[in-house]
Amino acid sequence: MNKPSVNEFTIKIANVNGTGSASANGLIMKTLFRMGIPVVGKNYFPSNIQGLPTWYEIRASEKGHLARSGRVDLMVAMNAETYKQDLAEVASGGYLVYDSTWPRHNLLQRDDITIIGVPLSKMCNENFPNARARILMKNVVYAGVLAALLDFDLDVITTLLNETFAKKAHLLDANQLAIRMGYEWAQANLETPLPFTARTSDKSNGHIIIDGNTAAGLGAVYAGATVGAWYPITPSTSLMDAFKRFCEMTRKDPETGESNYCIVQAEDELAAMGMVLGASWAGARAFTPTSGPGVSLMSEFLGYGYFAEIPAVLFNVQRCGPSTGMPTRTQQSDIVASAFASHGDTRHVLLFPANPEECFYTASTAFDLAERLQTPVIVLSDLDIGMNDWMTKELQWSDTYQPDRGKVLRADEVAKLDKFHRYLDADQDAIAARTLPGDHPKGAYFTRGSGHNMYGAYTENADEYKEVVDRLRAKWETAKKYVPAPEVVYSAKNSIGVISIGSCDEACKEALDALREQGIGINYLRIKSFPFNGEVQKFIDDHEKLYVVEQNRDAQLKCLLCIECDVADEKLNEILHYNGLPLTANFVVDAIHADLAKGEAA
């Protein structure tokens, strides 16, 4: 990084949980974004109470790469407990900034990087009388130091602070002072700017910064959801928090002030899923957000929803497992558990958004599919998408959107029937019509999760039972017509392909760009849904060698491909990343190079 570069660098800030660093770190990221630079922020935080290490990583990329870079060009080491680890992470030629207020006689050094001492605490002790203010403002001071080192536009920082503290003059003054202190000290005592700098661009025009949970909560509102039930669990709780916040803004009767929505914190995840099924059966659009342990608990009710054919939406924001695992680290380890959740022959429709923008739009797709197919639909996001700060295109919505309620017979339609049969496949598409309870005397007042025949009556008759579960299998084939098609980047001259899913997308695309520059052409398919449609099979058939990139240990996506598609296991080569950190492009590039080298050696 001693070579001059513009808008291509990664900053990592090491701190202690509970010290108020989040606002300062967000200020740095938002400044880069306001300067027109593509940027992404990734927060690595502990699952325990304050006092443990936390890191925030900011990648600026003029090229628009939003995956974790896998390198650190500038480390701000604010936590003495992790200094050795933070020092080791800095890329050769990079920089490390630390608080030099107190002499460190045995400070670890590296000959290949530059270590910069800044008396952050000393400056705060001299300028802020309150102990808490000194702790908080130290974070803002290092933001000012970075502004000088990276040549930030100070007007942008000033504007952001004015917007943030417009109604709190004393906080505004303190933050402005802290920024100036850090900036002016760096200007006077350091060689600024560094070889890599930030320069005003226009690449973030038409974009916003948002996390996936907020986007999904907003998408649920626009999709027409009015009922949410959940039990708090990391990393999905903020999705319901967002839904509640947006409902308070949009779902109140303007005349009476009464709320037109219902949000229930259940006693556990199983109860939450039961509430969602009850609300959905009654005609509401209802959902629950959870993570892996919650899906495990909800499995019985998910099977009930599948067999009784009740619409429902579940947002699974995946984290590291098994058991409690690492609640604040990311993974894609619930793919198989979600696909076959519950006992017996059960298959669930899955949707795989790759970023917050897709979380927003996927919400309405999930509700439409759930009602069209009369089945639970599970949206598999993950912690990286759900809780981190992403630059995405501005969200758009059409007021012409009409929810697809599927085959819901209303009172006037039911009245024309001699009899209503809940599980009768009249249209031969494996989807039976349903009614809303109480809408008409001829309609269904009860639903059944035990053995039933096409008329909804209880049965233990072998043929009648088989007829119903065979129709459910046929409905799975019908679902292939409606689920989102995969994204395909294809050239007929390439015999090698990569198949991936969800938040692997940015790293995979960056990796394939890098390989293309090295003369290695590889096609790409990103799966957006399960069941897989014909395009997935065609992509498999069109390639001699395929790499399946996913973030789990047991190759769960590959397993589903082997179960559902006509493909030999040996044709699918695993690239598995599962340490809890987001995937990097270099990991994919190195894995492909290593595999291709084996072939050359043979």
Side-chain angles (χ1 to χ4, degrees):
M1 292 303 295
N2 289 321
K3 296 179 180 180
S5 67
V6 175
N7 297 347
E8 290 289 344
F9 54 81
T10 298
I11 308 166
K12 193 168 186 178
I13 301 160
N15 219 309
V16 177
N17 199 34
T19 57
S21 59
S23 58
N25 299 339
L27 177 66
I28 297 165
M29 184 206 49
K30 291 174 185 176
T31 298
L32 292 167
F33 176 74
R34 289 283 184 94
M35 289 176 65
I37 304 167
V39 65
V40 64
K42 299 192 182 293
N43 191 17
Y44 312 122
F45 59 99
S47 58
N48 298 43
I49 58 175
Q50 67 181 32
L52 293 179
T54 183
W55 292 267
Y56 190 73
E57 189 173 284
I58 303 168
R59 182 183 187 182
S61 173
E62 183 77 6
K63 296 177 181 178
H65 296 313
L66 299 179
R68 184 169 71 95
S69 69
R71 60 176 290 136
V72 177
D73 303 308
L74 174 58
M75 175 72 77
V76 182
M78 300 295 293
N79 185 358
E81 296 295 321
T82 62
Y83 179 83
K84 182 178 180 180
Q85 173 185 342
D86 299 333
L87 178 71
E89 279 197 50
V90 182
S92 183
Y95 295 78
L96 182 144
V97 174
Y98 76 100
D99 187 351
S100 62
T101 298
W102 300 279
R104 297 189 193 179
H105 301 293
N106 297 317
L107 185 71
L108 294 174
Q109 303 280 345
R110 273 179 55 188
D111 294 336
D112 62 332
I113 70 171
T114 302
I115 297 179
I116 301 171
V118 181
L120 298 167
S121 295
K122 181 176 183 294
M123 283 189 274
C124 289
N125 292 342
E126 292 172 350
N127 288 274
F128 300 104
N130 181 280
R132 180 61 178 166
R134 291 171 180 173
I135 294 172
L136 295 175
M137 289 303 111
K138 184 166 65 171
N139 302 316
V140 186
V141 174
Y142 72 63
V145 172
L146 294 185
L149 290 174
L150 298 171
D151 201 20
F152 285 6
D153 186 336
L154 278 183
D155 289 340
V156 173
I157 300 178
T158 300
T159 299
L160 281 167
L161 290 174
N162 287 337
E163 291 174 359
T164 304
F165 301 108
K167 297 181 180 179
K168 299 177 181 178
H170 65 292
L171 292 178
L172 175 60
D173 293 341
N175 278 269
Q176 295 282 23
L177 172 60
I179 284 289
R180 289 198 306 273
M181 284 165 44
Y183 186 87
E184 291 170 1
W185 188 94
Q187 290 277 47
N189 295 277
L190 304 175
E191 290 186 17
T192 60
L194 298 180
F196 51 97
T197 57
R199 182 182 301 163
T200 299
S201 181
D202 61 0
K203 297 295 178 63
S204 68
N205 292 352
H207 291 74
I208 60 173
I209 296 289
I210 193 171
D211 63 81
N213 284 352
T214 299
L218 181 62
V221 171
Y222 274 85
T226 56
V227 176
W230 98 116
Y231 185 79
I233 182 172
T234 302
S236 68
T237 297
S238 60
L239 197 160
M240 188 59 81
D241 291 340
F243 180 71
K244 178 177 180 291
R245 187 168 67 251
F246 293 128
C247 281
E248 289 171 345
M249 296 166 55
T250 61
R251 297 230 189 283
K252 286 189 178 286
D253 188 294
E255 297 181 1
T256 65
E258 292 184 355
S259 297
N260 296 322
Y261 64 95
C262 177
I263 297 176
V264 182
Q265 180 175 327
E267 61 267 34
D268 56 35
E269 287 89 347
L270 180 61
M273 193 70 235
M275 293 173 184
V276 168
L277 288 171
S280 297
W281 181 71
R285 284 197 152 182
F287 75 98
T288 184
T290 192
S291 192
V295 173
S296 297
L297 290 173
M298 293 175 179
S299 290
E300 183 177 356
F301 263 145
L302 283 167
Y304 172 75
Y306 172 82
F307 193 41
E309 300 183 68
I310 303 173
V313 172
L314 187 159
F315 292 92
N316 178 3
V317 189
Q318 299 169 94
R319 70 189 206 189
C320 282
S323 186
T324 303
M326 295 193 295
T328 58
R329 294 294 182 265
T330 195
Q331 216 168 67
Q332 296 173 319
S333 54
D334 300 343
I335 298 172
V336 170
S338 298
F340 304 115
S342 197
H343 50 278
D345 291 321
T346 309
R347 296 186 185 207
H348 296 296
V349 173
L350 309 180
L351 301 176
F352 306 104
N355 51 56
E357 179 189 9
E358 289 193 359
C359 285
F360 175 73
Y361 297 116
T362 299
S364 58
T365 301
F367 284 103
D368 284 348
L369 284 172
E371 294 203 280
R372 181 184 299 154
L373 299 170
Q374 297 177 34
T375 194
V377 172
I378 304 175
V379 180
L380 272 79
S381 174
D382 58 42
L383 185 145
D384 183 25
I385 298 172
M387 296 194 72
N388 284 328
D389 300 315
W390 292 66
M391 186 185 85
T392 70
K393 293 178 182 177
E394 292 178 353
L395 305 177
Q396 305 292 330
W397 190 258
S398 173
D399 290 336
T400 62
Y401 168 74
Q402 292 292 324
D404 184 346
R405 305 307 304 268
K407 296 181 183 179
V408 180
L409 301 181
R410 301 314 303 258
D412 58 334
E413 296 172 293
V414 179
K416 298 175 184 177
L417 302 175
D418 291 334
K419 289 183 179 180
F420 171 71
H421 302 301
R422 172 63 183 96
Y423 299 112
L424 179 64
D425 180 15
D427 299 332
Q428 299 300 302
D429 61 357
I431 303 173
R434 66 185 178 113
T435 62
L436 302 182
D439 205 23
H440 191 278
K442 291 182 182 178
Y445 281 76
F446 301 96
T447 189
R448 188 182 295 280
S450 56
H452 53 265
N453 58 25
M454 69 172 67
Y455 306 110
Y458 176 77
T459 187
E460 293 186 11
N461 178 279
D463 292 336
E464 289 183 334
Y465 165 79
K466 187 174 181 296
E467 185 175 45
V468 170
V469 294
D470 284 347
R471 181 179 57 78
L472 292 176
R473 183 64 180 85
K475 185 164 71 169
W476 184 251
E477 296 301 317
T478 299
K480 294 179 181 180
K481 303 175 185 177
Y482 296 118
V483 296
E487 176 187 357
V488 181
V489 180
Y490 182 85
S491 171
K493 66 181 180 181
N494 297 330
S495 61
I496 303 174
V498 162
I499 299 175
S500 192
I501 201 167
S503 61
C504 297
D505 185 50
E506 286 291 339
C508 285
K509 287 179 176 176
E510 183 180 348
L512 296 186
D513 285 345
L515 289 166
R516 194 175 300 111
E517 291 176 1
Q518 299 166 18
I520 303 173
I522 297 180
N523 293 331
Y524 180 53
L525 177 138
R526 174 168 62 90
I527 290 172
K528 292 186 177 184
S529 59
F530 178 71
F532 309 131
N533 64 18
E535 290 188 53
V536 176
Q537 183 66 58
K538 183 178 185 303
F539 190 86
I540 291 172
D541 294 341
D542 285 348
H543 295 85
E544 298 174 8
K545 180 187 281 284
L546 291 161
Y547 296 100
V548 183
V549 182
E550 51 187 310
Q551 297 180 69
N552 57 69
R553 185 196 68 184
D554 293 339
Q556 295 184 28
L557 176 60
K558 177 186 171 183
C559 289
L560 281 190
L561 289 167
C562 289
I563 292 170
E564 295 288 319
C565 299
D566 181 14
V567 58
D569 178 80
E570 57 270 18
K571 187 174 183 177
L572 302 177
N573 299 270
E574 306 162 5
I575 297 180
L576 306 175
H577 185 275
Y578 48 88
N579 63 5
L581 297 175
L583 180 67
T584 67
N586 284 342
F587 185 89
V588 178
V589 170
D590 291 346
I592 291 176
H593 271 308
D595 183 75
L596 293 177
K598 287 191 298 185
E600 292 172 0

